[in-house]
Amino acid sequence: MSDTDRPAPQARPQGDLGGTGQHTGQCCTVRDLAKTYRSPSRGLGRGRGRGAAGNGSAAGNGGAPGNGGVGGGTGEIRANDGIDLDIRRGEVFGLLGPNGAGKSTLVRQLTGLLRPDRGSVHILGHDIVRHPERAARLLAYLGQESTALDELTVALAAETTGRLRGLTLAQARSESADVLAELGLEPLAHRPLAKLSGGQRRLACFAAALVGERPLLVLDEPTTGMDPVARRAVWSAVDRRRAERGTTVLLVTHNVIEAETVLDRVAVVDHGRVIACDTPGGLKALVDGDVRLDLVWRAEAPTEVPAVARLAEQAECTGRRWTVRTSPEQARELVAAVTTGPAFAALDDFTLATPSLEDAYLKLGGRGGGLAK
């Protein structure tokens, strides 16, 4: 069945929920959003609050809090601290930041699964803080964990999600079959999710999130564990829905390469705050003119070599890997110094690259550990 022949999902909102209607051009608006967790001990709350919606939709049981943002010595974890966002219709908007930055806590509030301490969330004109039950009819949510689907087969998980979203049995089966074919999951259709590999299971949960179409698709680390073929299938499906149906996508990630490739705009989140929001190119322009030199030593760096000893003073050292962010002129000098004599004999590999979103993040004052590559 083609997209044009597919029956329209019955539960897709068309202004029937009593929204304000003040959403021209905007899909989601967030203002001064804040959330603080109270912890009985200072060490509690460093783990991640995962899986707020285990079935891939905007409904489910909340996970344990713990996306620690700003905290004092009072046993409080301020996961979000006055966040403002404007997400436009039809764009792929990203939340980028390290683990524990507050991204998943923010998303749980956007999806109506967690009530903020203060602030507002409007999706297509609907007040999600006052009416969190409306979120399930406005968005599809793929959380980090989807254990509620584990005992179902791939086909039944997708079909059940469609039924929960108001599709008839015939519509749910038809849409499920189309989505499984689109993502190459037909050979796995009758296997339980619990029996799949991590990447296959993740792709099956993504498939379920697509059944019973919603105008906003919220994806929290959607491609974790996937191979390149599966990742390509995910983003092809997203692009198709944007082009044909105007779907808006909110992507939560700490993967720099993925963010640079798929996002239209990105908000950089650190310690519960948005520290910058721009296009990936706009953020990278903050460090325009700099380059990054990565050195990987065979064993320990030969710091007895004067040039290497001087380099150690400005490098970020992680095991055998040293990273230096510097001007192109100095980078040429450094490369010349480490690719001759005893330094070169100790060198396993080196790369010279233009700035990435991670470099922009560190320039903005993000935590020194950086992001995932």
Side-chain angles (χ1 to χ4, degrees):
M1 179 178 293
S2 68
D3 287 332
T4 55
D5 295 332
R6 179 185 293 129
Q10 292 183 341
R12 183 170 181 175
Q14 298 289 343
D16 59 332
L17 300 179
T20 65
Q22 298 175 355
H23 52 263
T24 303
Q26 295 292 336
C27 177
C28 179
T29 303
V30 177
R31 291 291 179 268
D32 195 31
L33 205 66
K35 183 64 181 179
T36 300
Y37 295 119
R38 304 188 187 282
S39 170
S41 65
R42 295 183 63 178
L44 189 62
R46 292 186 181 180
R48 296 188 58 121
R50 299 190 178 190
N55 62 359
S57 67
N61 294 324
N67 271 351
V70 180
T74 61
E76 291 187 343
I77 306 297
R78 195 171 308 144
N80 295 149
D81 189 17
I83 287 180
D84 294 336
L85 291 174
D86 291 285
I87 302 174
R88 302 163 187 162
R89 286 190 178 191
E91 74 174 340
V92 179
F93 186 92
L95 297 176
L96 179 68
N99 290 331
K103 305 185 301 296
S104 291
T105 295
L106 172 59
V107 165
R108 291 180 64 212
Q109 293 170 93
L110 266 59
T111 54
L113 299 174
L114 182 67
R115 185 175 182 85
D117 296 333
R118 71 166 192 269
S120 64
V121 177
H122 287 85
I123 298 177
L124 296 172
H126 300 280
D127 188 337
I128 301 304
V129 175
R130 292 185 61 187
H131 304 285
E133 73 283 355
R134 296 184 181 179
R137 299 182 65 185
L138 295 164
L139 61 90
Y141 175 37
L142 177 62
Q144 291 185 4
E145 297 289 346
S146 304
T147 54
L149 299 174
D150 276 356
E151 301 307 314
L152 303 180
T153 65
V154 173
L156 187 56
E159 180 184 316
T160 301
T161 301
R163 294 286 284 151
L164 289 171
R165 290 175 177 168
L167 300 186
T168 66
L169 179 59
Q171 288 174 327
R173 286 180 175 173
S174 176
E175 284 206 24
S176 298
D178 288 348
V179 169
L180 296 191
E182 179 182 16
L183 297 175
L185 284 170
E186 289 174 306
L188 303 176
H190 301 295
R191 291 182 58 185
L193 270 73
K195 303 296 185 181
L196 301 179
S197 70
Q200 291 172 334
R201 183 172 172 273
R202 194 66 177 151
L203 186 60
C205 292
F206 174 73
L210 296 183
V211 178
E213 176 185 343
R214 293 292 186 265
L216 174 60
L217 189 58
V218 181
L219 307 174
D220 195 344
E221 309 283 3
T223 59
T224 299
M226 290 186 188
D227 61 34
V229 174
R231 285 198 299 271
R232 191 177 300 115
V234 166
W235 294 116
S236 293
V238 168
D239 287 342
R240 193 172 297 113
R241 281 155 181 78
R242 291 181 67 200
E244 297 176 359
R245 307 165 198 178
T247 303
T248 304
V249 181
L250 174 60
L251 171 67
V252 184
T253 185
H254 61 271
N255 186 309
V256 172
I257 296 175
E258 187 170 65
E260 291 183 349
T261 303
V262 304
L263 296 181
D264 296 315
R265 291 189 303 135
V266 55
V268 182
V269 182
D270 193 34
H271 290 99
R273 300 185 180 99
V274 174
I275 59 176
C277 185
D278 204 339
T279 64
L283 291 177
K284 290 193 290 184
L286 296 172
V287 286
D288 191 28
D290 287 348
V291 295
R292 185 180 69 251
L293 174 63
D294 288 306
L295 306 171
V296 181
W297 304 103
R298 295 183 186 277
E300 292 189 6
T303 52
E304 68 277 5
V305 178
V308 176
R310 290 193 297 271
L311 181 59
E313 298 176 358
Q314 63 181 110
E316 299 169 15
C317 304
T318 307
R320 296 186 301 120
R321 179 180 293 275
W322 289 15
T323 299
V324 180
R325 294 171 174 84
T326 186
S327 67
E329 294 76 16
Q330 187 181 20
R332 282 194 292 269
E333 296 175 3
L334 294 175
V335 169
V338 299
T339 55
T340 56
F344 185 63
L347 192 62
D348 186 42
D349 192 16
F350 77 92
T351 57
L352 193 61
T354 54
S356 68
L357 276 178
E358 180 176 28
D359 298 305
Y361 167 79
L362 294 173
K363 181 81 170 182
L364 288 163
R367 66 189 73 179
L371 308 170
K373 296 185 177 67

